[in-house]
Amino acid sequence: MPKIRQRTDQRIILELCLPHVVNGLDIFCPAPCFLDKTRGWKVVWKMLMLTSLQTTAKLTLRTRVNERSFRLKTIVNSGSEDLSKMNFDISDEQKLVLDEVDRACRELRPLEDQAYLAGKFNDHLIPIFKKAQLLGLPISRRYGEGQGADILTYALALERIGREGTGVRTFLSGHVSLGQLTVQKWGNEDQKQRYLPQATRGEKVMCFGLTEPTAGSDPTSLRTSFEDKGTHYLLNGSKAWISNGSISDISVIFAYPKGKHDAMCAFIVEKGFEGYSAQQQKHKLGMPTSDTGSIFLDNCRVPKENLLGSPGKGLGVAYSGLMSGRLSVAAGCLGVIEDCITEAVNYSKQRIQHGKPIGKHQLVQRHLGIMSTNLEAAKNLVYKAALLKQRSDEQPEDKEIRERADILIAQAKYFASNASFDAADRTVQIFGSSGYSFETRAPRHLVDTRVCRIYEGTDEIMVQKIAVNLLGQDFEAYR
């Protein structure tokens, strides 16, 4: 019999654990059914009969134990059926991780402020995140200081980190999401043992070298090439706009066989390899604390054992890396929106105009209401995408799940990046003239988040990918 709890308002709550199928992904969450005593058990048995007809439904009792996986729990205040009180709870393990993330971020903030105004990379970022063991959060515990966190826990961590600025989150996107996760997914055991422990400990920085001066949204137009010399490969070409590019020690580089435009390959390239060089790209619109660099490969000699993945399968390696990167961008944008809302609410309460706080003006309230609504919508997209990405990683042979995850991540990235840019713009508007100074946080978010609509897939590419999923592959623009 389902568990019944008597409440002080003389109502009874029946907790059933029912499957909610969201885009093919089964998410189990307790569904509260409120019953008046006078109605008896009629509603109860009706619900049980309905659920028994669902072939996928599983009626279980919810045990109150610590769970390793993220559980979507419907939390309703006692005596209230107001669904606006619903929130997403997390496990105790996740709370411990996020508490450590929060502590690290609080330590980092004043130092990040100083670095931002000075227009330079924050040298304290790596030591602080190393101390908090955040530099390999989703990496297996077998490798260095990897923590083995699932994709959703990692996304929640990036959400908190995003409040500190897109530059901070971008470092982790390049170092972990695009760098380490790609090696963990596609590398052999020797490669993982050689490179991941150093990266998770912060001894080596990683980056993802796909974009080139003439190849952005179209990775098939890469000009970087390689030649097989028997005992090694020779790589020639250049990469541009690479996050962590000039400070990276280990790069995942993509190239075509010389003279061909198919059978792309991926390589793990070290900074010390002969023919490798890099330089910082300056005069960017935003993100002064994030390193962006160009990589130059001039007869760069790469050992045979540094081929990443199977020969000729580099495009698949690139696309899988971009999925992880896009999800990290979307998660970080949630934090940006949260920070903007915090700044806007505080300022709206304190700033006095026309004899009252500006928060009492309806047009200011409109900004806040839109930002809050966009945040909740973005969270649902990002969390759902993270759960599906986790399922895809656990079932790598299931093409259908992988394709659904790809589309959902594109939707999350598109919506969250635009919502974060919009939130920053609205917060600047609320601050007025004060919002035009980098001494306040909102204008930093405004210029920084503009890149979120460009890198890891432009708005246009994301929308096109989503539309083609609806129309069918015959409607691809590049056929």
Side-chain angles (χ1 to χ4, degrees), residues 3 41 97 106 154 164 245 277 286 302 305 316 364 383 388:
K3 181 179 179 181
W41 289 96
V97 172
R106 290 176 183 276
Y154 180 48
E164 306 312 312
S277 62
V302 179
E305 60 267 24
V364 172
Y383 295 169
L388 195 54

Side-chain angles (χ1 to χ4, degrees), residues 52 63 67 72 97 107 163 171 216 219 222 241-242 245 253-254 256 325 358 369 401 405 442 463 466 470:
S52 68
T63 56
E67 303 170 68
L72 294 181
V97 172
E107 181 181 354
R163 298 186 202 174
F171 171 81
L222 297 185
W241 301 107
I242 306 301
I253 298 291
F254 297 88
Y256 281 116
I358 63 172
I401 293 178
V463 170
I466 296 164
L470 298 173

Side-chain angles (χ1 to χ4, degrees), residues 135 170-177 179-180 199-200 202 204-206 244:
L135 295 177
T170 295
F171 171 81
L172 287 177
S173 290
H175 181 61
V176 180
S177 301
Q180 294 180 53
T200 61
K204 303 287 186 180
V205 173
M206 293 196 68
N244 303 339

Side-chain angles (χ1 to χ4, degrees), residues 397-468:
E397 302 304 318
D398 194 319
K399 183 180 178 181
E400 181 181 353
I401 293 178
R402 182 172 68 253
E403 290 177 347
R404 290 211 314 270
D406 188 25
I407 296 301
L408 193 54
I409 288 171
Q411 292 173 322
K413 196 263 186 186
Y414 170 74
F415 188 87
S417 59
N418 278 271
S420 66
F421 183 73
D422 180 75
D425 186 45
R426 292 180 185 279
T427 304
V428 167
Q429 195 68 20
I430 290 172
F431 270 69
S433 57
S434 296
Y436 203 66
S437 168
F438 284 134
E439 293 287 344
T440 58
R441 299 183 60 77
R444 303 180 205 169
H445 288 312
L446 183 63
V447 296
D448 290 356
T449 56
R450 189 60 185 85
V451 76
C452 297
R453 297 171 54 194
I454 300 174
Y455 65 6
E456 316 307 338
T458 64
D459 280 357
E460 292 76 14
I461 294 296
M462 296 298 96
V463 170
Q464 186 181 66
K465 175 186 284 287
I466 296 164
V468 169

Side-chain angles (χ1 to χ4, degrees), residues 75 107 211 229 379 434:
I75 307 297
E107 181 181 354
T211 302
K229 294 297 185 179
K379 279 186 175 183
S434 296

Side-chain angles (χ1 to χ4, degrees), residues 85 133 179 254 301 318 340 369 430 441:
K85 303 297 183 182
Q133 295 185 316
F254 297 88
R301 190 183 181 99
C340 286
I430 290 172
R441 299 183 60 77

Side-chain angles (χ1 to χ4, degrees), residues 4-5 38 62 68 79 82 116 129 133 142 164 190 209 211 230 245 252-253 265 295 306 323 334 362 368 388 411 448:
I4 305 297
R5 289 194 282 113
T38 56
R62 186 181 70 192
R68 294 189 62 85
D82 181 7
Y116 197 102
F129 281 3
Q133 295 185 316
R142 298 195 302 272
E164 306 312 312
D190 175 67
T211 302
V252 177
I253 298 291
C265 289
I295 296 173
N306 277 41
M323 284 180 64
L334 298 181
Q362 290 180 340
L368 297 174
L388 195 54
Q411 292 173 322
D448 290 356

Side-chain angles (χ1 to χ4, degrees), residues 29-153:
C29 62
C33 175
F34 291 95
L35 304 172
D36 290 312
K37 281 187 173 182
T38 56
R39 297 180 64 187
W41 289 96
K42 183 176 181 180
V43 177
V44 177
W45 295 121
K46 184 177 181 180
M47 177 177 283
L48 293 177
M49 289 175 66
L50 287 173
T51 56
S52 68
L53 296 176
Q54 302 291 330
T55 57
T56 59
K58 296 179 181 179
L59 182 61
T60 61
L61 293 180
R62 186 181 70 192
T63 56
R64 299 186 179 279
V65 297
N66 293 339
E67 303 170 68
R68 294 189 62 85
S69 61
F70 185 81
R71 299 275 293 187
L72 294 181
K73 299 179 182 178
T74 306
I75 307 297
V76 183
N77 287 353
S78 177
S80 170
E81 294 182 46
D82 181 7
L83 293 182
S84 67
K85 303 297 183 182
M86 184 173 65
N87 69 355
F88 296 127
D89 201 4
I90 58 176
S91 69
D92 290 341
E93 287 186 358
Q94 287 173 313
K95 188 176 186 304
L96 289 174
V97 172
L98 297 178
D99 284 346
E100 185 61 23
V101 174
D102 182 67
R103 185 206 62 74
C105 287
R106 290 176 183 276
E107 181 181 354
L108 182 70
R109 176 166 290 198
L111 301 169
E112 179 68 12
D113 288 343
Q114 294 173 13
Y116 197 102
L117 295 176
K120 64 178 184 179
F121 180 79
N122 185 357
D123 294 328
H124 299 280
L125 187 154
I126 295 176
I128 289 175
F129 281 3
K130 171 182 169 62
K131 181 172 64 176
Q133 295 185 316
L134 300 179
L135 295 177
L137 191 56
I139 303 303
S140 169
R141 294 178 182 272
R142 298 195 302 272
Y143 309 114
E145 293 187 3
Q147 300 302 302
D150 59 31
I151 300 300
L152 182 59
T153 302

